[in-house]
Amino acid sequence: MQRSLLVFTLILFGALSAIALWQSGYWGILAPHFQSFGEGQVLADLVIALSLAMVWMWRDAKAMGRNPWPWMIATLTTGSFGPLFYLLTRKSAEAEKVG
């Protein structure tokens, strides 16, 4: 069930991101966040949330014996796609013990 939800989220978020990128370009997606304090707050919130996700991914990847760097780079370059793909490819602790 969780895997299905992740795939569904990735598909919808990917479609939204592709449309936004096609219509506005990369800078067009970022530029509005510098036009007012309200929009800046949304950007700051995203940076804080992704930073927390990166700390968790780093610790989790190390504990699972995975290299955390690809996920850090993916998060810094693609935003939420990094953590979403990390979760999609992450094996559960129970699967690690069995497999």
Side-chain angles (χ1 to χ4, degrees):
M1 178 66 162
Q2 289 180 0
R3 190 171 193 79
S4 299
L5 184 58
L6 282 170
V7 170
F8 183 69
T9 302
L10 272 167
I11 290 169
L12 291 180
F13 185 59
L16 176 63
S17 298
I19 292 168
L21 194 58
W22 177 62
Q23 286 185 346
S24 303
Y26 194 72
W27 182 246
I29 293 172
L30 291 175
H33 298 290
F34 299 101
Q35 295 177 357
S36 75
F37 283 109
E39 291 151 340
Q41 187 278 334
V42 172
L43 179 63
D45 186 50
L46 178 63
V47 168
I48 291 167
L50 287 176
S51 296
L52 292 171
M54 287 173 47
V55 168
W56 173 80
M57 283 190 303
W58 183 275
R59 292 178 179 170
D60 189 71
K62 289 287 192 177
M64 297 283 223
R66 298 175 76 182
N67 181 1
W69 281 109
W71 309 108
M72 300 298 111
I73 294 168
T75 302
L76 291 171
T77 58
T78 66
S80 295
F81 285 107
L84 286 169
F85 276 113
Y86 179 83
L87 288 170
L88 188 63
T89 61
R90 182 181 184 270
K91 292 182 182 177
S92 68
E94 294 82 27
E96 285 290 317
K97 290 177 186 174
V98 173

